[in-house]
Structures are given as C-alpha cells and as structure tokens.
C-alpha cells in the first residue's frame, strides 16, 4: 500500500510556526524555556520550534535531546544532558513527532520527575489519539483519527521526502 501524504513540507512549517506562537503565548512571562525533543524526528521538531521561538520570543530557549529506544518495551534510566540545574524552576516542553499511545512520552517524562521543574508541557506534530498512558498533548499540530492498524510516519530530517504520511 502506498503511503498517503497528510502534510506537505509547507504545511509542516505552518504547524511549527503556530505551535511556537502558542508556546510563546502560554509562557510569555517565563525567563526561559527548555525544549526536550525525543531523539529522531521529535528532536528535529524541537530544533525547529527552538528556531521559531528564538525569532519571536524574548526568553531563553534551551534545546536538549532525550535519548531512548522507542522499540524497547522498558527503558534504562535516562540521563538529563547538562545536569538537573539546567531544568530547576524552568518550564520543560517534551516534544515528539507523533503521540500514539503515550508510552514514549511517558518514558521521556521519567528523568524530569526528580527535578523541581516549574511545569511540564507536551507538544507533538501529530496526535493519533489512542491513549494507553495518561499523557495528553498541550500543543498539537494536527489531530488525526486513525485505526490501530494504520501507521503515521513523520519525515523532517530528509528535505527531499519531508512530510507526514499515513500508511
């Protein structure tokens, strides 16, 4: 079955600009924001959001990568880059490309639970809305109703194929 393109590169850029604006509006009174992207396309989304925020927002934006293996059923302890002082009393935004069951974002949340952050928010490009874990996105590029058998692929790191595809 050939994948169907759901979002083009231009549409993705629009979604990223909108999410960045929403992040700014929600956190306008903060001195700094930490964008924690899940390794892979989640981190690329976080990087692009950081670039947009640096253009429109006066606060400091710190970009970090959360390294985990999405294929593993259980994750080892995830170390925070830069030490816990980087995150103390800061707003942290967990970012991934697709929210499906919430498992990946639940694992990504783990290292921040032992740090006194001000607030944790979640941003995703696509929300498939099949929750199995108590994770909800605060900032969403696209709500997409899918079946359990369908697969959503987000490609941000390959300019020639950039897009969101449904298979």
């Amino acid at each position: 079955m050939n994948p169907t393109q759901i979002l083009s590169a231009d549409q993705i850029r629009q979604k990223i600009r909108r999410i960045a604006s929403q992040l700014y509006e929600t956190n306008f009174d903060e001195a700094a924001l930490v964008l924690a992207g899940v390794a892979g396309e989640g981190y690329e989304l976080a990087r692009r959001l950081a670039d947009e925020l640096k253009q429109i927002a006066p606060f400091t934006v710190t970009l970090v990568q959360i390294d985990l293996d999405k294929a593993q059923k259980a994750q080892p302890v995830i170390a925070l880059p830069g030490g816990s002082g980087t995150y103390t009393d800061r707003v942290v935004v967990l970012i991934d490309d697709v929210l499906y069951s919430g498992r990946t974002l639940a694992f990504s949340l783990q290292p921040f639970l032992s740090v006194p952050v001000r607030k944790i928010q979640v941003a995703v490009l696509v929300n498939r809305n099949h929750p199995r874990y108590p994770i909800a996105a605060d900032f969403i590029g696209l709500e997409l109703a899918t079946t359990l058998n369908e697969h959503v692929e987000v490609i941000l790191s390959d300019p020639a194929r950039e897009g969101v595809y449904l298979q």
Side-chain angles (χ1 to χ4, degrees):
M1 179 166 111
N2 288 334
T4 302
Q5 187 175 44
I6 303 298
L7 292 175
S8 68
D10 286 339
Q11 290 169 317
I12 289 172
R13 278 189 288 283
Q14 289 174 330
K15 301 289 185 194
I16 290 171
R17 272 195 298 276
R18 184 172 54 78
I19 293 170
S21 294
Q22 290 173 323
L23 283 166
Y24 176 36
E25 289 170 8
T26 302
N27 298 292
F28 70 92
D29 55 349
E30 297 295 330
L33 212 61
V34 175
L35 302 184
V38 175
E41 300 306 285
Y43 180 76
E44 177 61 22
L45 176 60
R47 188 190 65 72
R48 291 184 187 193
L49 284 168
D51 290 346
E52 286 291 327
L53 283 168
K54 287 174 184 174
Q55 293 178 32
I56 63 172
F59 48 68
T60 304
V61 177
T62 303
L63 179 63
V64 297
Q65 180 170 296
I66 303 296
D67 291 312
L68 54 86
D69 182 355
K70 292 181 181 185
Q72 286 187 0
K73 299 257 186 238
Q75 296 292 322
V77 174
I78 300 168
L80 289 175
S84 64
T86 306
Y87 313 98
T88 299
D89 202 31
R90 300 290 168 100
V91 172
V92 174
V93 183
L94 290 177
I95 300 171
D96 203 5
D97 55 346
V98 178
L99 174 55
Y100 174 54
S101 68
R103 185 175 71 85
T104 299
L105 287 167
F107 283 131
S108 301
L109 183 65
Q110 176 264 328
F112 296 103
L113 297 178
S114 60
V115 178
V117 298
R118 182 183 310 256
K119 181 173 27 175
I120 296 177
Q121 300 170 330
V122 175
V124 297
L125 185 59
V126 179
N127 183 8
R128 291 187 58 194
N129 223 356
H130 293 285
R132 286 189 288 173
Y133 294 80
I135 300 290
D138 301 291
F139 307 97
I140 300 166
L142 176 68
E143 293 271 358
L144 187 61
T146 61
T147 67
L148 294 174
N149 296 331
E150 291 175 311
H151 176 74
V152 173
E153 182 179 19
V154 174
I155 301 173
L156 299 173
S157 52
D158 179 359
R161 295 182 46 230
E162 184 173 329
V164 174
Y165 300 91
L166 179 65
Q167 297 182 37

